[in-house]
């Protein structure tokens, strides 16, 4: 490897050459550049046995150089190494046909996406070569091509590319690539949905009052039929199809087929053949809420979401519904839900979350009923929540940045940790100093109910300062 390092140092001497106009003009994927900084045995003729050994070693070394260049975002250097790699393959296997490996396709695509001198024309040319020579991965390459076109805003070109791919037939290879074909059809359906959405906006903006609007409506219905057909097929296959499901449901809702939309969402959320997917329950909940379904149905959808992602933002909605329930078990679950959400760092400064907890805790303290609920939740958190949520540093920062947040947290801290809690003492002092009425009332409330802290903590006559 020492020789390789020595040869690498020679790369610096090549820098001036590579920066020249001539070198830059040929710096697409396949520039005809000689790479003297590669080890000599990469291009030295050798005996058959020696050549095979050296070629295998050379190939690995060259790929390592390519990887290193890509990781350092040296796309020009990576392109030159890939050029040499391809040329070496051609020389070594000149007597037998060998299609481009997936590695060349993947690396080449990545380089062309980032190379400063790469153009869309060069990218298209490279991809077409990969399609022609890589029959076994033809449809994958087509999908990659379509994605690249979409990322560059070439929607019509992407649609045409997908349409051509859908009509592709190549003997048994067509059946082997059935999954890829379904993806091709699904993404074409997605673009049909995009066209439908554009036509819908035009129609809604101008109203239905003329020949032009009639033509727009006809075009819109045509796009709907094509989109619905392909989207419906892909979401039957077990998998994560969030975007496709959302678009298909939007189509169904627009045309008033709410039963079919509900059935699709229920299947997506509850079919055991599909992987666990929190978004599936989010979409179902949002649909049920839009259509005024019962709270029982809404709670059922959010209960599963809570089990999968207890830190989801919809836990605010879940807690609110549970708190309003007349059933004791549901109100207790509501307390459990909001405590669990606040365990996560992303909720540390969530005013709504702390407001929910403060409101429910305050209600329990005033009623002096169900203090055991608070104690049960606090027991597993009393060792780490004080440092995580209620330090003096956080009290200062919260007070400076968000008065409402500091108020809600101070109320919770005062009840859970008592009147001597650092967080509560600092915030209540600053609030009273600023002559804010609610902070004076907060201080009186916590002082009055300090015995609750003793009961929650299991203490009898003393409190412990966190």
């Amino acid at each position: 490897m020492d020789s390789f390092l020595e040869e690498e140092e020679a790369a610096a001497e090549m820098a001036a050459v590579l920066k020249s106009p001539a070198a830059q003009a040929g710096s697409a994927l396949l520039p005809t550049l000689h790479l003297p900084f590669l080890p000599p045995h990469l291009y030295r003729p050798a005996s058959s046995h020696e050549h095979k050994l050296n070629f295998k070693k050379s190939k690995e070394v060259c790929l390592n150089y390519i990887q290193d260049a890509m990781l350092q975002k040296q796309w020009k250097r990576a392109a030159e190494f890939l050029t040499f790699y391809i040329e070496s393959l051609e020389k070594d296997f000149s007597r037998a046909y060998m299609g481009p490996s997936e590695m060349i396709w993947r690396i080449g695509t990545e380089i062309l996406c980032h190379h400063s001198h790469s153009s869309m024309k060069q990218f298209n040319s490279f991809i077409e070569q990969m399609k022609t020579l890589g029959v076994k991965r033809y449809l994958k390459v087509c999908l990659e091509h379509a994605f690249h076109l979409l990322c560059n805003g070439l929607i019509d070109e992407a649609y045409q590319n997908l349409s051509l791919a859908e009509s592709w037939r190549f003997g048994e290879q067509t059946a082997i690539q059935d999954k890829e074909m379904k993806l091709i059809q699904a993404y074409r359906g997605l673009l049909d949905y995009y066209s439908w959405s554009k036509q819908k906006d035009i129609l809604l903006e101008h109203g239905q009052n003329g020949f032009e609007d009639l033509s727009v409506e006809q075009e819109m219905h045509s796009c709907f039929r094509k989109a619905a057909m392909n989207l419906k097929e892909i979401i039957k296959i077990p998998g994560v199809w969030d975007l496709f499901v959302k678009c298909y449901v939007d189509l169904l809702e627009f045309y008033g087929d709410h039963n079919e939309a509900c059935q699709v969402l229920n299947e997506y959320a509850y079919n055991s053949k599909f992987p666990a997917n929190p978004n599936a329950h989010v979409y179902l909940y949002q649909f049920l809420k839009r259509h005024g379904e019962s709270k029982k149905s809404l709670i059922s959808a959010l209960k599963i979401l809570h089990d999968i992602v207890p830190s989801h933002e919809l836990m605010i909605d879940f807690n609110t519904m549970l708190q309003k329930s007349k059933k004791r078990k549901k109100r207790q679950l509501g307390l459990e839900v909001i405590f669990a959400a606040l365990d996560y760092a992303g909720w540390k400064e969530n005013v709504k979350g702390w407001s929910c907890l403060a409101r429910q805790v305050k209600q329990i303290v005033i009623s002096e009923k169900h203090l055991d609920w608070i104690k049960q939740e606090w027991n597993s958190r009393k060792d780490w929540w004080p440092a995580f949520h209620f330090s003096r540093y956080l009290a200062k920062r919260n007070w400076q940045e968000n008065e409402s947040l500091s108020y809600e947290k101070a109320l919770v801290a005062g009840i859970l940790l008592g009147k001597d809690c650092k967080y509560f003492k600092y915030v209540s002092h600053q609030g009273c100093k600023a002559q804010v009425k609610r902070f004076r009332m907060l201080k009186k409330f916590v002082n009055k109910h300090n015995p609750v802290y003793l009961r929650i903590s299991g203490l009898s006559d003393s409190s412990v300062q966190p």
Side-chain angles (χ1 to χ4, degrees):
M1 290 299 294
D2 289 341
S3 63
F4 295 162
L5 294 174
E6 292 172 2
E7 297 293 342
E8 276 270 59
E9 292 174 359
E13 299 175 6
M14 285 294 296
V17 177
L18 295 177
K19 290 179 181 179
S20 67
Q24 290 185 358
S27 62
L29 183 62
L30 301 177
T32 54
L33 292 175
H34 183 58
L35 309 179
F37 48 90
L38 288 174
H41 70 265
L42 284 180
Y43 45 83
R44 183 183 63 199
S47 63
S48 178
H49 178 66
E50 181 187 358
H51 178 77
K52 288 180 180 178
L53 292 177
N54 284 342
F55 178 77
K56 182 179 179 181
K57 185 177 180 181
S58 302
K59 185 174 69 171
E60 292 174 356
V61 171
C62 193
L63 288 173
N64 287 337
Y65 277 125
I66 294 172
Q67 181 186 43
D68 179 66
M70 292 176 72
L71 289 173
Q72 296 185 51
K73 299 183 179 180
Q74 298 173 350
W75 304 111
K76 184 175 181 179
R77 181 167 170 255
E80 291 164 357
F81 280 124
L82 182 58
T83 300
F84 187 88
Y85 179 73
I86 295 172
E87 289 174 350
S88 298
L89 289 177
E90 291 173 349
K91 291 175 183 177
D92 193 69
F93 295 99
S94 57
R95 294 183 181 180
Y97 169 77
M98 179 183 176
S101 69
E102 185 166 349
M103 192 179 298
I104 293 175
W105 162 46
R106 297 287 188 189
I107 293 173
T109 300
E110 192 70 15
I111 291 172
L112 284 172
C113 283
H114 294 90
H115 200 295
S116 59
H117 295 290
S118 174
S119 65
M120 183 60 69
K121 183 178 180 180
Q122 289 171 324
F123 185 91
N124 289 341
S125 176
F126 173 75
I127 286 293
E128 290 304 325
Q129 291 180 58
M130 294 298 101
K131 290 179 187 178
T132 303
L133 299 176
V135 173
K136 292 184 178 180
R137 61 187 65 87
Y138 177 85
L139 294 179
K140 283 185 179 180
V141 178
C142 288
L143 274 173
E144 179 103 33
H145 193 190
F147 293 154
H148 186 75
L149 292 169
L150 287 171
C151 287
N152 284 274
L154 302 173
I155 297 174
D156 292 339
E157 289 81 351
Y159 188 86
Q160 183 180 6
N161 181 276
L162 292 171
S163 297
L164 289 172
E166 190 176 0
S167 64
W168 177 76
R169 299 292 181 272
F170 198 90
E172 63 179 14
Q173 286 298 325
T174 307
I176 292 173
Q177 298 181 56
D178 181 61
K179 289 183 179 179
E180 288 80 2
M181 181 61 78
K182 283 184 168 57
L183 281 173
I184 291 285
Q185 293 167 343
Y187 278 100
R188 193 170 70 84
L190 209 58
L191 293 183
D192 282 320
Y193 167 83
Y194 173 75
S195 298
W196 172 85
S197 184
K198 285 176 61 178
Q199 299 298 326
K200 180 191 71 172
D201 291 342
I202 293 172
L203 193 64
L204 293 177
E205 182 179 352
H206 299 290
Q208 300 179 12
N209 52 4
F211 176 77
E212 290 184 0
D213 290 335
L214 180 61
S215 64
V216 169
E217 187 174 0
Q218 290 174 341
E219 177 66 22
M220 186 179 80
H221 290 330
S222 174
C223 292
F224 160 75
R225 287 191 295 272
K226 290 185 288 186
M229 179 178 65
N230 284 323
L231 295 175
K232 184 177 182 179
E233 289 304 310
I234 195 66
I235 62 177
K236 289 179 181 178
I237 305 170
V240 179
W241 307 112
D242 290 356
L243 183 58
F244 303 94
V245 169
K246 287 183 69 176
C247 292
Y248 185 50
V249 168
D250 188 27
L251 291 170
L252 295 173
E253 281 193 275
F254 183 81
Y255 289 100
D257 197 347
H258 298 156
N259 291 334
E260 173 70 12
C262 189
Q263 185 178 340
V264 167
L265 290 171
N266 273 286
E267 181 75 7
Y268 192 51
Y270 297 121
N271 190 328
S272 60
K273 294 180 180 179
F274 284 72
N277 180 4
N279 286 340
H281 301 282
V282 172
Y283 302 151
L284 178 59
Y285 167 75
Q286 291 172 338
F287 175 84
L288 295 173
K289 188 176 180 180
R290 281 197 302 272
H291 294 281
E293 294 295 332
S294 67
K295 285 190 177 180
K296 183 179 179 180
S297 299
L298 298 176
I299 288 174
S300 178
L302 290 180
K303 177 63 173 69
I304 299 177
L305 180 62
H306 167 67
D307 294 339
I308 302 173
V309 188
S311 61
H312 197 281
E313 60 184 7
L314 283 176
M315 292 306 103
I316 296 289
D317 289 18
F318 193 28
N319 170 267
T320 302
M321 284 189 286
L322 292 169
Q323 279 195 49
K324 291 179 179 179
S325 174
K326 295 180 180 179
K327 295 182 178 180
R328 188 179 64 178
K329 286 187 177 180
K330 287 187 177 179
R331 294 199 304 275
Q332 184 178 3
L333 176 60
L335 186 66
E336 176 187 329
V337 165
I338 201 63
F339 260 109
L342 291 167
D343 284 342
Y344 293 85
W347 283 68
K348 289 186 74 169
E349 298 180 359
N350 189 312
V351 181
K352 289 184 178 179
W354 285 105
S355 178
C356 286
L357 180 58
R359 182 170 57 251
Q360 191 166 5
V361 166
K362 187 176 181 180
Q363 289 172 355
I364 293 173
V365 168
I366 291 172
S367 68
E368 295 189 0
K369 294 179 180 179
H370 311 306
L371 288 175
D372 56 312
W373 295 357
I374 300 177
K375 185 175 182 179
Q376 182 179 333
E377 296 301 325
W378 183 236
N379 280 341
S380 61
R381 295 174 171 86
K382 61 185 178 182
D383 293 334
W384 63 278
W385 261 41
F388 188 62
H389 285 309
F390 303 129
S391 67
R392 184 176 174 81
Y393 165 76
L394 285 175
K396 289 181 178 180
R397 196 179 79 179
N398 293 160
W399 171 257
Q400 292 171 356
E401 297 178 357
N402 193 325
E403 182 183 301
S404 295
L405 173 65
S406 65
Y407 173 82
E408 304 294 354
K409 286 185 67 175
L411 175 58
V412 175
I415 292 171
L416 296 177
L417 293 164
K419 62 182 181 180
D420 293 325
C421 167
K422 294 176 183 178
Y423 192 100
F424 169 76
K425 285 178 69 175
Y426 180 85
V427 171
S428 60
H429 175 72
Q430 294 298 323
C432 293
K433 186 178 177 181
Q435 298 185 344
V436 181
K437 182 179 179 180
R438 65 173 177 169
F439 284 94
R440 292 198 300 270
M441 296 176 66
L442 166 66
K443 190 172 183 178
K444 289 180 181 179
F445 179 85
V446 171
N447 287 334
K448 178 182 178 181
H449 295 282
N450 197 59
V452 170
Y453 151 68
L454 301 178
R455 292 170 63 183
I456 293 172
S457 302
L459 302 173
S460 56
D461 57 1
S462 63
S463 61
V464 180
Q465 184 175 338

